[in-house]
Structures are given as C-alpha cells and as structure tokens.
Amino acid sequence: MDLPVLLIALGALFLTGLLADELGRRTRLPRVTVLLACGIAVGPSGLDAIPSEAQALYDFLSVTALTMVAFLLGSSLTMDELRIHGRAILLISALIVVVTMALVTGGLWLLGLPLPLAILLGAIATATDPAATHDAIRQAGKSGAFPDILKGIVAIDDAWGLIAFSMAVVVAVSLGGALQLGHFGTAAWEVGGALVLGALVGLPAAFLTGRLREGEPMQTEALGVVFLTAGLAIWAEVSFLLAGMTAGALVANLARHHETAFHEIEHIQWPFMILFFLLAGASLDLSKLNGVGLALGGYVALRIMGRALGGWIGGAAAGTPAKYRPWYGMALLPQAGVAVGMALVAAQEFPDYADLLLGLTIATTVIFELIGPITTLWAINRVQPPGD
C-alpha cells in the first residue's frame, strides 16, 4: 500500500465532501446526489483519479456507513412511534413492495422480456437505499408524521424486499424446471438470523451503554456496537442492515437511562458517509447504460409508477391524511447496494440472464441514486413546504 497516496486521496475526498455539503445547503440539492455525481466524475467513468488504495476501502466503508444508518433507523421504531404510526408503516411499506413488484414484472413481460427475468427484475425493483433516503430526510430538517412514517418504512423495507426476492427466485426457477425450496430457507435465515443477532447485541447494549459518562466514552461505545454488529452479521451471513435496525430499536426502547448513543452515532456518521457515497459513485460504471435500451426506460418508469401507486394505496388503507398519499412512493425512490446484491445472486442462479440483469440493475442504480434523493427532498417539501 502506498501510504502517502492513500492519505492524500482521503484528504481530498473529505474536502470534496465538505464542498458537496455546502453546495447542498446553497442549492437545496441533496448532498448525497452531489457526492455521487462527484464520485462518478473522478471515478473510472470520468477522470479516473481515485487511487486503488482508496477504492479498496469501499467494502469496509459501505458496511460501516449502512450499519450506522440501520441503527439510526431502528432508533425511530420506538413503541411510542409504533403506537402512532405502526399501522401506516406496515401497510404502506408492504403495499409499495407488492405493487412495485407486480407492475414492474407485468410491464417488463409485456415489453418482451422472458417471464422469469421479468419476475427477478420486479423483485429487485422493491429494494431501496436506506442511506440516501435517511440522509435526504435529515437534510430536509422536517419533523412530524410524514418524515416519521418514511423513517419507519425505510427501516423495515429491506426485510420485505428480501422476502419478495427469495420468493421471486423460487418462482423463476420453477418456471424453468425443478422447484428449489432451499431459497425460502436462505431468506428465513437472512431475515430471522439478523433479528436474533440484533437482539443478542441490542439487549445487553441497552443496559450497558451510557453507564460511564457522556462524551468520548459514548463515541467509543457506539463504534464498538456498530462494528460488532456488522462483523457478526457478515460472519453469520445474515443482513447487517436488519441486525443493526433491530439492535437500534431495542436500545431506543429499553435504554431509559440515556439517549446519548444515537446522538454519538449521528456525530461520527457523516465522515463515513462522505467516503461511502463518493466511492459508491466512483464504483458506478456508466458504460452499463449502453445496450439495455427499452428495458431500461420501462424499468425506470414502471418502478416510479409502482412506488407512487403502492404508496397511495397503502396510505389510503392506513387512513393517513390525503395530502401525504401521493408522496410516499416518490420519497422512496433511491436504489443502491441491496438491489445490486440481489442482481448478483440472481445472475449466479440464472447465468443466461446475467449480463442483462447486472447491466440493467447497475444502470438503474445510477439513475435512481442521482434522482432519488432529489425526489425525496421534493416530496417532503411538498408535504411540508419550507418555513412550515
């Protein structure tokens, strides 16, 4: 490793993040979108100016940043919040997944894609990016029912998505021959095991953290719990997002003696997020936008329609205010690593579709990562205009 090159690159990336943050404040552009655009500009698709030493940190930074986000989202699922918004969170999140999957699958099949491939892409379309969505909510600086419901939906969205994807793989395989029920077991372990692991970390953390004193020791505790959760989840091959969310929810509900842990995560989260989003942008390959043609436009349009319609139906079923209903789905457009992970799994199961699966998923990830945070901010400001 060339240490001077790595340190110079990290310094330049942090300063770029500072400029992106300031640009976001002055223009109302989501800073996530600015960071991703900067990453694309300096990555292999642009100037190719990021050294391999910095790019090698991407996996570590992505897991760390996303686990921190998961803890913060889990902390929003307190019993008080669930008593108020729990029904809305469950109904809206479930219906967004169901409607999105049905609309994308049906639409792509009508556009001429093979039915197994359309089913897989419909399931991949249910995935969201909790980091980008959560940061856009924070940047909006709003409080109230609408952002609280969004946080709850993002917190549990990936659980629904994993279940939907596992069922889609089973159905797609059955259409081609033998039915493989083992995928259900894999999904059950990834979701159920993550919940158990989150409980094993969250329960002692709720009672042991915050016993020393406020300040620096709490930062150490927060980092310790985050890294422990992420490492154990990867080792056990379960979802670190769901494990972090579960642990965060347990600490928020059971730790009556302090509220400091999550404030400390918020304080230390942003430097990790800067590097994560810049390197995420640098990892996006714009050449994948070529060759996917009509399927790309269809996927993008159908996913937007599915999330908007699912959010409206879910909001109506939950009895939320009518002015909120058109905007739930529009606030939940960002799509990132979870979708790409699903596509990689599907490509292994269906090698004949691998190129189109990966190309289309990466291409739409570029699009939704750039426009998604913008629509999230736009939706929140439509429901609660600036100054309210």
Side-chain angles (χ1 to χ4, degrees):
M1 177 181 291
D2 193 335
L3 187 58
V5 171
L6 176 61
L7 293 174
I8 292 168
L10 289 176
L13 290 173
F14 278 125
L15 292 175
T16 301
L18 181 65
L19 292 174
D21 198 20
E22 186 62 24
L23 182 61
R25 286 197 180 96
R26 291 179 181 273
T27 64
R28 295 194 176 273
L29 278 173
R31 53 191 179 181
V32 171
T33 300
V34 177
L35 287 171
L36 286 164
C38 290
I40 292 172
V42 299
S45 295
L47 300 175
D48 198 14
I50 297 181
S52 58
E53 289 86 351
Q55 292 179 16
L57 296 175
Y58 178 62
D59 287 343
F60 164 74
L61 291 168
S62 64
V63 172
T64 303
L66 289 171
T67 305
M68 289 181 177
V69 170
F71 265 87
L72 293 172
L73 290 172
S75 71
S76 67
L77 298 176
T78 62
M79 292 307 297
D80 290 339
E81 287 294 330
L82 289 175
R83 274 192 289 267
I84 299 171
H85 303 304
R87 183 168 179 266
I89 290 169
L90 288 172
L91 281 173
I92 295 169
S93 61
L95 282 165
I96 284 177
V97 166
V98 170
V99 174
T100 299
M101 185 171 178
L103 208 59
V104 173
T105 297
L108 292 179
W109 181 53
L110 291 174
L111 287 174
L113 269 64
L115 183 56
L117 178 58
I119 291 172
L120 293 170
L121 289 169
I124 291 170
T126 65
T128 55
D129 179 4
T133 307
H134 181 258
D135 192 73
I137 294 170
R138 284 187 63 193
Q139 188 176 344
K142 305 290 186 180
S143 60
F146 186 75
D148 287 345
I149 291 172
L150 288 182
K151 291 177 186 176
I153 293 171
V154 174
I156 66 171
D157 201 46
D158 282 326
W160 294 126
L162 287 170
I163 294 169
F165 177 71
S166 300
M167 294 177 64
V169 171
V170 171
V171 173
V173 169
S174 69
L175 291 172
L179 179 64
Q180 297 185 18
L181 297 178
H183 293 291
F184 285 124
T186 301
W189 170 244
E190 188 160 359
V191 175
L195 297 177
V196 171
L197 174 60
L200 291 176
V201 173
L203 286 172
F207 293 101
L208 296 177
T209 57
R211 298 291 183 183
L212 297 174
R213 65 181 188 274
E214 294 183 0
E216 188 175 337
M218 288 299 297
Q219 290 185 349
T220 307
E221 289 174 347
L223 282 172
V225 173
V226 165
F227 285 123
L228 183 66
T229 303
L232 289 173
I234 294 172
W235 172 75
E237 297 183 350
V238 301
S239 169
F240 59 84
L241 288 172
L242 295 179
M245 179 203 74
T246 304
L250 287 171
V251 173
N253 281 284
L254 299 178
R256 302 297 182 186
H257 58 288
H258 74 84
E259 296 180 355
T260 315
F262 296 112
H263 294 314
E264 295 303 328
I265 291 177
E266 289 177 350
H267 293 159
I268 60 180
Q269 175 197 26
W270 185 237
F272 289 96
M273 299 291 281
I274 288 173
L275 296 180
F276 165 56
F277 283 118
L278 283 169
L279 293 177
S283 70
L284 296 174
D285 186 358
L286 295 187
S287 67
K288 297 292 185 181
L289 288 167
N290 299 323
V292 289
L294 183 62
L296 174 62
Y299 181 103
V300 170
L302 290 164
R303 185 174 185 267
I304 292 172
M305 290 168 56
R307 298 189 86 71
L309 182 60
W312 189 90
I313 295 172
T320 61
K323 69 175 184 177
Y324 293 178
R325 298 172 192 171
W327 304 110
Y328 290 120
M330 300 305 295
L332 296 165
L333 288 184
Q335 171 186 302
V338 175
V340 176
M342 290 178 177
L344 288 169
V345 172
Q348 291 175 349
E349 294 287 342
F350 302 88
D352 291 344
Y353 301 141
D355 289 342
L356 186 54
L357 271 169
L358 291 173
L360 192 59
T361 303
I362 293 172
T364 54
T365 294
V366 174
I367 294 169
F368 282 117
E369 278 295 85
L370 292 174
I371 69 170
I374 296 173
T375 61
T376 302
L377 268 179
W378 178 54
I380 293 171
N381 286 325
R382 289 284 295 182
V383 173
Q384 296 176 253
D388 280 13

